[in-house]
Amino acid sequence: GAPLPTLASGKETSGEKETLRQFGNALGSALAPVANDAFAEKGRVLLEKTIGARDAETFRALVPLLLAYEEVRNSIAKISPPASGMELTDALEKSYGQLSAAIASLAEGAVTPEELGKHWVAYSDAVIAMGKALNETIGFFLERGVHFAQDEPGAIFALP
């Protein structure tokens, strides 16, 4: 995608930094349902169970994952970003929507191995897009010198 817009001076006023911090916390809150070890483990286990599976029931067990990612996408869509964060917000929203759609296609089950392969490719592409959007988000706040306290939702965008 296109490079994210950067502020010309790179020196934000304290008011601009506070606006960006609030924006980061809003994004962090939106991602909170899926940005934790428990959710990651649940997703890993459910996805692993589908490897080699042919029964529709195993694939239907993925529905809670797609609903969680759809909830995140909807939460991101409700955020009013500052102008500098619009592209970023759109990329995050799109990536979580793509991930939800890919899991939905897996959850429907597949009639043939070829169909299942296509669904896994779509899922893989969606995971890559989500990872890229998250990396860009981390860079966005880092470049602007926006820091989050460990107990703030935006802390998920801070590097250790």
Side-chain angles (χ1 to χ4, degrees):
L4 294 172
T6 56
L7 299 173
S9 70
K11 295 178 181 170
E12 294 74 32
T13 66
S14 60
E16 289 166 332
K17 277 193 180 179
E18 179 57 23
T19 297
L20 291 174
R21 193 182 67 73
Q22 289 174 5
F23 168 57
N25 282 327
L27 286 176
S29 291
L31 298 181
V34 298
N36 60 72
D37 291 340
F39 183 84
E41 179 63 14
K42 176 182 174 183
R44 185 189 64 73
V45 168
L46 288 173
L47 288 165
E48 277 183 4
K49 286 181 181 178
T50 66
I51 296 172
R54 292 280 180 260
D55 62 299
E57 194 59 38
T58 300
F59 288 95
R60 276 195 295 272
L62 297 174
V63 169
L65 292 182
L66 82 90
L67 293 175
Y69 288 125
E70 190 63 22
E71 176 189 336
V72 168
R73 189 196 69 75
N74 291 338
S75 294
I76 293 169
K78 293 175 186 170
I79 295 171
S80 298
S84 62
M86 290 181 88
E87 272 187 66
L88 184 78
T89 306
D90 289 345
L92 279 170
E93 181 185 345
K94 182 179 176 188
S95 72
Y96 279 95
Q98 185 181 348
L99 190 55
S100 177
I103 294 174
S105 68
L106 281 170
E108 291 170 6
V111 179
T112 67
E114 293 80 18
E115 285 178 320
L116 187 56
K118 287 179 188 176
H119 295 323
W120 277 114
V121 168
Y123 172 77
S124 177
D125 289 347
V127 169
I128 291 168
M130 182 192 64
K132 184 177 177 199
L134 288 172
N135 277 339
E136 288 174 354
T137 304
I138 291 166
F140 175 86
F141 292 110
L142 199 61
E143 288 169 12
R144 287 159 179 79
V146 178
H147 302 287
F148 301 97
Q150 285 189 333
D151 62 344
E152 289 183 291
I156 64 170
F157 305 121
L159 296 175

PDB file of all heavy atoms in Angstrom, residues 19 22-23 26-27 75-83 85-86 89:
ATOM      1  N   THR A  19      -3.933  13.969  21.410  1.00  0.00           N
ATOM      2  CA  THR A  19      -4.947  13.496  20.463  1.00  0.00           C
ATOM      3  C   THR A  19      -4.545  12.135  19.906  1.00  0.00           C
ATOM      4  O   THR A  19      -5.368  11.219  19.823  1.00  0.00           O
ATOM      5  CB  THR A  19      -5.128  14.511  19.312  1.00  0.00           C
ATOM      6  OG1 THR A  19      -5.606  15.739  19.868  1.00  0.00           O
ATOM      7  CG2 THR A  19      -6.102  14.017  18.263  1.00  0.00           C
ATOM      8  N   GLN A  22      -4.925   9.426  22.591  1.00  0.00           N
ATOM      9  CA  GLN A  22      -6.330   9.033  22.728  1.00  0.00           C
ATOM     10  C   GLN A  22      -6.750   8.138  21.556  1.00  0.00           C
ATOM     11  O   GLN A  22      -7.477   7.151  21.747  1.00  0.00           O
ATOM     12  CB  GLN A  22      -7.224  10.267  22.815  1.00  0.00           C
ATOM     13  CG  GLN A  22      -7.069  11.008  24.131  1.00  0.00           C
ATOM     14  CD  GLN A  22      -7.846  12.318  24.165  1.00  0.00           C
ATOM     15  OE1 GLN A  22      -8.582  12.653  23.250  1.00  0.00           O
ATOM     16  NE2 GLN A  22      -7.683  13.059  25.254  1.00  0.00           N
ATOM     17  N   PHE A  23      -6.286   8.477  20.358  1.00  0.00           N
ATOM     18  CA  PHE A  23      -6.559   7.670  19.163  1.00  0.00           C
ATOM     19  C   PHE A  23      -5.978   6.266  19.344  1.00  0.00           C
ATOM     20  O   PHE A  23      -6.644   5.258  19.083  1.00  0.00           O
ATOM     21  CB  PHE A  23      -5.974   8.388  17.939  1.00  0.00           C
ATOM     22  CG  PHE A  23      -5.922   7.578  16.681  1.00  0.00           C
ATOM     23  CD1 PHE A  23      -7.061   7.002  16.140  1.00  0.00           C
ATOM     24  CD2 PHE A  23      -4.713   7.414  16.011  1.00  0.00           C
ATOM     25  CE1 PHE A  23      -7.002   6.265  14.960  1.00  0.00           C
ATOM     26  CE2 PHE A  23      -4.642   6.700  14.834  1.00  0.00           C
ATOM     27  CZ  PHE A  23      -5.787   6.112  14.308  1.00  0.00           C
ATOM     28  N   ALA A  26      -8.013   4.290  21.713  1.00  0.00           N
ATOM     29  CA  ALA A  26      -9.267   3.844  21.089  1.00  0.00           C
ATOM     30  C   ALA A  26      -9.006   2.613  20.222  1.00  0.00           C
ATOM     31  O   ALA A  26      -9.761   1.630  20.271  1.00  0.00           O
ATOM     32  CB  ALA A  26      -9.890   4.971  20.266  1.00  0.00           C
ATOM     33  N   LEU A  27      -7.920   2.657  19.442  1.00  0.00           N
ATOM     34  CA  LEU A  27      -7.566   1.493  18.617  1.00  0.00           C
ATOM     35  C   LEU A  27      -7.235   0.293  19.507  1.00  0.00           C
ATOM     36  O   LEU A  27      -7.668  -0.833  19.238  1.00  0.00           O
ATOM     37  CB  LEU A  27      -6.374   1.802  17.718  1.00  0.00           C
ATOM     38  CG  LEU A  27      -6.623   2.706  16.510  1.00  0.00           C
ATOM     39  CD1 LEU A  27      -5.316   2.992  15.796  1.00  0.00           C
ATOM     40  CD2 LEU A  27      -7.637   2.073  15.561  1.00  0.00           C
ATOM     41  N   SER A  75     -15.694  -2.311  15.679  1.00  0.00           N
ATOM     42  CA  SER A  75     -15.222  -1.343  16.676  1.00  0.00           C
ATOM     43  C   SER A  75     -14.267  -0.335  16.053  1.00  0.00           C
ATOM     44  O   SER A  75     -14.333   0.862  16.345  1.00  0.00           O
ATOM     45  CB  SER A  75     -14.526  -2.066  17.832  1.00  0.00           C
ATOM     46  OG  SER A  75     -15.447  -2.861  18.540  1.00  0.00           O
ATOM     47  N   ILE A  76     -13.372  -0.810  15.185  1.00  0.00           N
ATOM     48  CA  ILE A  76     -12.440   0.096  14.503  1.00  0.00           C
ATOM     49  C   ILE A  76     -13.221   1.072  13.625  1.00  0.00           C
ATOM     50  O   ILE A  76     -12.902   2.261  13.573  1.00  0.00           O
ATOM     51  CB  ILE A  76     -11.407  -0.694  13.668  1.00  0.00           C
ATOM     52  CG1 ILE A  76     -10.478  -1.494  14.593  1.00  0.00           C
ATOM     53  CG2 ILE A  76     -10.587   0.251  12.773  1.00  0.00           C
ATOM     54  CD1 ILE A  76      -9.603  -2.505  13.870  1.00  0.00           C
ATOM     55  N   ALA A  77     -14.274   0.583  12.969  1.00  0.00           N
ATOM     56  CA  ALA A  77     -15.075   1.422  12.067  1.00  0.00           C
ATOM     57  C   ALA A  77     -15.747   2.577  12.813  1.00  0.00           C
ATOM     58  O   ALA A  77     -16.035   3.617  12.214  1.00  0.00           O
ATOM     59  CB  ALA A  77     -16.128   0.577  11.357  1.00  0.00           C
ATOM     60  N   LYS A  78     -15.967   2.425  14.104  1.00  0.00           N
ATOM     61  CA  LYS A  78     -16.635   3.467  14.892  1.00  0.00           C
ATOM     62  C   LYS A  78     -15.677   4.553  15.381  1.00  0.00           C
ATOM     63  O   LYS A  78     -16.120   5.569  15.909  1.00  0.00           O
ATOM     64  CB  LYS A  78     -17.339   2.830  16.096  1.00  0.00           C
ATOM     65  CG  LYS A  78     -18.500   1.937  15.707  1.00  0.00           C
ATOM     66  CD  LYS A  78     -19.079   1.240  16.927  1.00  0.00           C
ATOM     67  CE  LYS A  78     -20.153   0.243  16.506  1.00  0.00           C
ATOM     68  NZ  LYS A  78     -20.567  -0.603  17.612  1.00  0.00           N
ATOM     69  N   ILE A  79     -14.370   4.335  15.207  1.00  0.00           N
ATOM     70  CA  ILE A  79     -13.379   5.301  15.683  1.00  0.00           C
ATOM     71  C   ILE A  79     -13.277   6.468  14.708  1.00  0.00           C
ATOM     72  O   ILE A  79     -13.243   6.268  13.499  1.00  0.00           O
ATOM     73  CB  ILE A  79     -12.002   4.617  15.852  1.00  0.00           C
ATOM     74  CG1 ILE A  79     -12.090   3.566  16.964  1.00  0.00           C
ATOM     75  CG2 ILE A  79     -10.900   5.636  16.149  1.00  0.00           C
ATOM     76  CD1 ILE A  79     -10.869   2.678  17.080  1.00  0.00           C
ATOM     77  N   SER A  80     -13.232   7.670  15.232  1.00  0.00           N
ATOM     78  CA  SER A  80     -13.013   8.870  14.411  1.00  0.00           C
ATOM     79  C   SER A  80     -11.533   9.245  14.538  1.00  0.00           C
ATOM     80  O   SER A  80     -11.145   9.890  15.519  1.00  0.00           O
ATOM     81  CB  SER A  80     -13.882  10.029  14.889  1.00  0.00           C
ATOM     82  OG  SER A  80     -15.241   9.705  14.762  1.00  0.00           O
ATOM     83  N   PRO A  81     -10.726   8.844  13.563  1.00  0.00           N
ATOM     84  CA  PRO A  81      -9.288   9.103  13.681  1.00  0.00           C
ATOM     85  C   PRO A  81      -8.934  10.548  13.357  1.00  0.00           C
ATOM     86  O   PRO A  81      -9.662  11.223  12.628  1.00  0.00           O
ATOM     87  CB  PRO A  81      -8.683   8.165  12.638  1.00  0.00           C
ATOM     88  CG  PRO A  81      -9.739   8.057  11.586  1.00  0.00           C
ATOM     89  CD  PRO A  81     -11.056   8.138  12.331  1.00  0.00           C
ATOM     90  N   PRO A  82      -7.786  11.012  13.881  1.00  0.00           N
ATOM     91  CA  PRO A  82      -7.283  12.306  13.420  1.00  0.00           C
ATOM     92  C   PRO A  82      -6.892  12.138  11.947  1.00  0.00           C
ATOM     93  O   PRO A  82      -6.726  11.011  11.472  1.00  0.00           O
ATOM     94  CB  PRO A  82      -6.058  12.557  14.303  1.00  0.00           C
ATOM     95  CG  PRO A  82      -5.646  11.214  14.792  1.00  0.00           C
ATOM     96  CD  PRO A  82      -6.897  10.377  14.844  1.00  0.00           C
ATOM     97  N   ALA A  83      -6.759  13.234  11.226  1.00  0.00           N
ATOM     98  CA  ALA A  83      -6.450  13.164   9.794  1.00  0.00           C
ATOM     99  C   ALA A  83      -5.240  12.288   9.510  1.00  0.00           C
ATOM    100  O   ALA A  83      -5.245  11.485   8.571  1.00  0.00           O
ATOM    101  CB  ALA A  83      -6.236  14.573   9.236  1.00  0.00           C
ATOM    102  N   GLY A  85      -4.278   9.729  10.962  1.00  0.00           N
ATOM    103  CA  GLY A  85      -4.524   8.322  11.240  1.00  0.00           C
ATOM    104  C   GLY A  85      -5.607   7.685  10.397  1.00  0.00           C
ATOM    105  O   GLY A  85      -5.970   6.521  10.615  1.00  0.00           O
ATOM    106  N   MET A  86      -6.118   8.409   9.407  1.00  0.00           N
ATOM    107  CA  MET A  86      -7.228   7.875   8.613  1.00  0.00           C
ATOM    108  C   MET A  86      -6.826   6.645   7.798  1.00  0.00           C
ATOM    109  O   MET A  86      -7.522   5.632   7.817  1.00  0.00           O
ATOM    110  CB  MET A  86      -7.822   8.959   7.720  1.00  0.00           C
ATOM    111  CG  MET A  86      -8.571  10.011   8.523  1.00  0.00           C
ATOM    112  SD  MET A  86      -9.323  11.288   7.491  1.00  0.00           S
ATOM    113  CE  MET A  86     -10.881  10.491   7.159  1.00  0.00           C
ATOM    114  N   THR A  89      -6.268   3.664  10.074  1.00  0.00           N
ATOM    115  CA  THR A  89      -7.526   3.115  10.569  1.00  0.00           C
ATOM    116  C   THR A  89      -8.208   2.296   9.484  1.00  0.00           C
ATOM    117  O   THR A  89      -8.698   1.190   9.735  1.00  0.00           O
ATOM    118  CB  THR A  89      -8.455   4.251  11.061  1.00  0.00           C
ATOM    119  OG1 THR A  89      -7.733   5.037  12.010  1.00  0.00           O
ATOM    120  CG2 THR A  89      -9.707   3.701  11.716  1.00  0.00           C
TER     121      THR A  89
END
